[in-house]
Amino acid sequence: MKRHLPYVVVAGWGALNGLLLAVLGIYGESSLVFWLYGGVVALLEVAALAVLASSRTGPDQHVRYRVPDRGAGAVPVVALGCALVALAFVYGLWLLALAVPL
């Protein structure tokens, strides 16, 4: 058993959004944009702290997960293929070139 670091993902997501907020500052956006987007960045960092607290108080997580059937790993690929077939009727038959191999 090993502890995962999921809060790093959430904190990194917030840091990336903070970087994007800085880019908006370079382009001279209005103050309302800074307040709204800055609030979102702050909420992301609060969520990262909540995930950190949850991972500290929760039990350890398993590193390996046992799948009962080897074919179960193909389910997401088949679901993506079915979704592409359905989208082919909307966006054109060229999507079948992607869906058929899946």
Side-chain angles (χ1 to χ4, degrees):
M1 302 255 277
K2 175 182 170 184
R3 273 200 192 276
H4 293 284
L5 303 174
Y7 62 90
V8 174
V9 173
V10 181
W13 187 23
L16 180 64
N17 277 300
L19 180 68
L20 293 175
L21 181 64
V23 169
L24 287 176
I26 292 170
Y27 286 112
E29 284 291 331
S30 67
S31 63
L32 178 65
V33 172
F34 287 119
W35 280 105
L36 291 174
Y37 204 10
V40 169
V41 171
L43 283 175
L44 278 173
E45 297 305 326
V46 168
L49 289 175
V51 171
L52 174 64
S54 171
S55 68
R56 295 258 185 225
T57 59
D60 292 341
Q61 297 178 0
H62 293 284
V63 176
R64 293 184 184 175
Y65 298 100
R66 299 177 79 181
V67 180
D69 184 17
R70 290 184 183 264
V75 170
V77 178
V78 171
L80 179 63
C82 291
L84 286 176
V85 167
L87 288 174
F89 291 108
V90 177
Y91 292 110
L93 295 178
W94 65 271
L95 276 176
L96 289 178
L98 299 174
V100 170
L102 291 176

